[in-house]
Coordinates of all heavy atoms in Angstrom, one line a residue:
A140 N 15.6 -6.4 15.5 CA 16.8 -6.0 16.1 C 17.9 -6.0 15.1 O 19.0 -5.2 15.3 CB 17.2 -6.9 17.2
A214 N -10.4 -14.7 -1.7 CA -9.4 -14.3 -0.8 C -10.1 -13.5 0.4 O -9.7 -13.7 1.6 CB -8.3 -13.5 -1.4
F216 N -13.1 -13.7 1.4 CA -14.0 -14.6 2.2 C -13.1 -15.4 3.2 O -13.3 -15.5 4.4 CB -14.6 -15.6 1.3 CG -15.2 -16.8 1.9 CD1 -16.4 -16.8 2.6 CD2 -14.6 -18.0 1.9 CE1 -17.0 -17.8 3.3 CE2 -15.2 -19.1 2.5 CZ -16.3 -19.1 3.3
L268 N -10.9 8.3 -3.9 CA -11.2 7.1 -3.2 C -12.2 6.2 -3.9 O -12.2 5.0 -3.9 CB -11.8 7.5 -1.8 CG -10.8 8.2 -0.8 CD1 -11.5 8.6 0.5 CD2 -9.5 7.4 -0.6
E296 N -1.6 5.5 -14.1 CA -1.3 5.9 -15.5 C -2.6 6.3 -16.2 O -2.6 7.3 -16.9 CB -0.7 4.7 -16.1 CG 0.7 4.4 -15.6 CD 1.3 3.1 -16.2 OE1 0.9 2.8 -17.4 OE2 2.1 2.4 -15.5
C351 N 11.6 6.0 15.3 CA 10.6 5.5 14.4 C 10.8 6.1 13.0 O 10.5 5.4 12.0 CB 9.1 6.0 14.8 SG 8.5 5.0 16.2
T354 N 13.3 3.4 11.8 CA 12.8 2.0 11.8 C 11.6 1.9 10.9 O 11.4 0.7 10.4 CB 12.5 1.6 13.2 OG1 11.5 2.4 13.8 CG2 13.7 1.5 14.1
P380 N 9.2 -2.1 27.9 CA 9.6 -3.5 27.8 C 9.3 -4.1 26.4 O 8.1 -4.0 25.9 CB 8.7 -4.2 28.9 CG 8.3 -3.1 29.8 CD 8.2 -1.9 28.9
D434 N -12.7 11.2 -22.3 CA -12.7 12.2 -23.5 C -11.6 11.6 -24.5 O -11.1 10.5 -24.3 CB -12.1 13.5 -23.0 CG -10.9 13.5 -22.3 OD1 -10.2 12.5 -22.2 OD2 -10.6 14.5 -21.5
R460 N -16.6 4.9 -9.7 CA -17.6 5.5 -8.9 C -17.1 6.8 -8.4 O -16.0 6.9 -7.9 CB -18.0 4.6 -7.7 CG -18.7 3.4 -8.2 CD -18.4 2.2 -7.2 NE -17.0 2.0 -7.1 CZ -16.3 1.3 -8.0 NH1 -16.8 1.0 -9.2 NH2 -15.0 1.1 -7.8

Side-chain angles (χ1 to χ4, degrees):
F216 169 78
L268 295 180
E296 293 172 29
C351 287
T354 54
D434 54 19
R460 292 150 302 287

